[in-house]
Amino acid sequence: EVQLVESGGGLVQPGGSLRLSCAASGFTFSSYWMHWVRQAPGKGLVWVSRINSDGSSTSYADSVKGRFTISRDNAKNTLYLQMNSLRAEDTAVYYCARERGYSSGGYYYYGMDVWGQGTTVTVSS
Amino acid sequence: DIQMTQSPSSLSASVGDRVTITCRASQSISSYLNWYQQKPGKAPKLLIYAASSLQSGVPSRFSGSGSGTDFTLTISSLQPEDFATYYCQQSYSRGITFGQGTRLEIK
């Protein structure tokens, strides 16, 4: 079964750090680009970060750039999100998601086709 | 960043109704548009990719159309399990963005 399982969430004080993990199983993890997406309580989905299949290329939302770092360990089939200088507005459920690519008419489209169940991060004093 | 605006923000409909949700991009995104469904307490589910392609396993009552800046998600005949929140998402630019969501409720 294709599965993503997040862990590492919890309560942290403003200015603190947390590292989230996302364990992948049931597919060849090293072949896929991966994402982190978050959702504040009662709010919509917000993309956080993306990493390519070998970890050599990353991108971030402006709101987390310079504070968050995405990485992966393909030998361990695990995706990470290191979160530093946390703020109250970082409080959210964090999902990891697999990117699935589709080629059509010479163009590359992609969507997030497999998602974890999410892990909750609460930033509060 | 490219802004994605969905309308309406919420919608009440009955089982069997035909429903259309609209998503507008702040600039042209060609067909780099996906649709997701999310139920309370659950992770999102990919429904449509590349504006009009149905993800494997998704019922055929779901369809997508559009290109450039204007897109629609249509549910041809609402089923009880379709009441959820729907999000559009653009993958045209490096900074991926979602719409604010459309909550579909039972009338």
Side-chain angles (χ1 to χ4, degrees):
Chain A
E1 179 192 4
V2 173
Q3 196 172 13
L4 297 170
V5 178
E6 301 96 336
S7 61
L11 174 63
V12 61
Q13 292 188 340
S17 299
L18 212 54
R19 188 177 84 157
L20 306 183
S21 299
C22 169
S25 59
F27 65 99
T28 305
F29 178 70
S30 60
S31 296
Y32 290 85
W33 294 46
M34 298 293 294
H35 297 256
W36 286 99
V37 175
R38 69 185 182 184
Q39 186 169 36
K43 302 297 185 182
L45 302 170
V46 176
W47 173 79
V48 172
S49 185
R50 181 190 189 205
I51 188 169
N52 70 344
S53 57
D54 67 7
S56 62
S57 176
T58 59
S59 56
Y60 298 91
D62 287 344
S63 59
V64 306
K65 201 172 295 183
R67 300 188 299 123
F68 290 12
T69 302
I70 190 172
S71 63
R72 64 192 297 159
D73 185 336
N74 286 343
K76 295 183 177 180
N77 292 334
T78 303
L79 175 73
Y80 301 101
L81 185 68
Q82 177 66 43
M83 304 186 295
N84 298 331
S85 303
L86 282 161
R87 307 166 180 167
E89 54 265 36
D90 296 318
T91 294
V93 174
Y94 284 73
Y95 295 100
C96 60
R98 185 181 80 171
E99 175 177 312
R100 171 76 186 276
Y102 311 87
S103 293
S104 175
Y107 296 93
Y108 175 80
Y109 300 94
Y110 67 89
M112 301 177 211
D113 72 328
V114 178
W115 295 66
Q117 85 288 352
T119 188
T120 300
V121 172
T122 303
V123 184
S124 175
S125 56
Chain B
D1 282 354
I2 298 173
Q3 306 303 314
M4 307 300 294
T5 303
Q6 291 180 229
S7 60
S9 295
S10 63
L11 174 61
S12 294
S14 301
V15 172
D17 284 354
R18 179 184 180 89
V19 166
T20 296
I21 298 170
T22 297
C23 178
R24 174 164 290 177
S26 60
Q27 67 181 73
S28 178
I29 58 170
S30 183
S31 296
Y32 291 89
L33 190 283
N34 303 317
W35 289 99
Y36 298 85
Q37 175 194 67
Q38 187 181 33
K39 296 182 179 179
K42 300 295 186 182
K45 174 185 176 182
L46 178 64
L47 299 176
I48 301 285
Y49 63 91
S52 60
S53 296
L54 195 66
Q55 172 69 355
S56 176
V58 174
S60 59
R61 63 181 179 273
F62 291 92
S63 64
S65 65
S67 67
T69 60
D70 294 314
F71 302 86
T72 59
L73 172 70
T74 299
I75 309 172
S76 61
S77 178
L78 274 173
Q79 299 301 301
E81 61 268 29
D82 299 337
F83 292 95
T85 299
Y86 293 85
Y87 295 92
C88 61
Q89 172 245 319
Q90 64 81 17
S91 58
Y92 178 84
S93 71
R94 193 170 170 87
I96 295 162
T97 46
F98 288 87
Q100 82 278 13
T102 295
R103 185 174 177 181
L104 179 54
E105 301 173 319
I106 300 174
K107 183 183 287 184

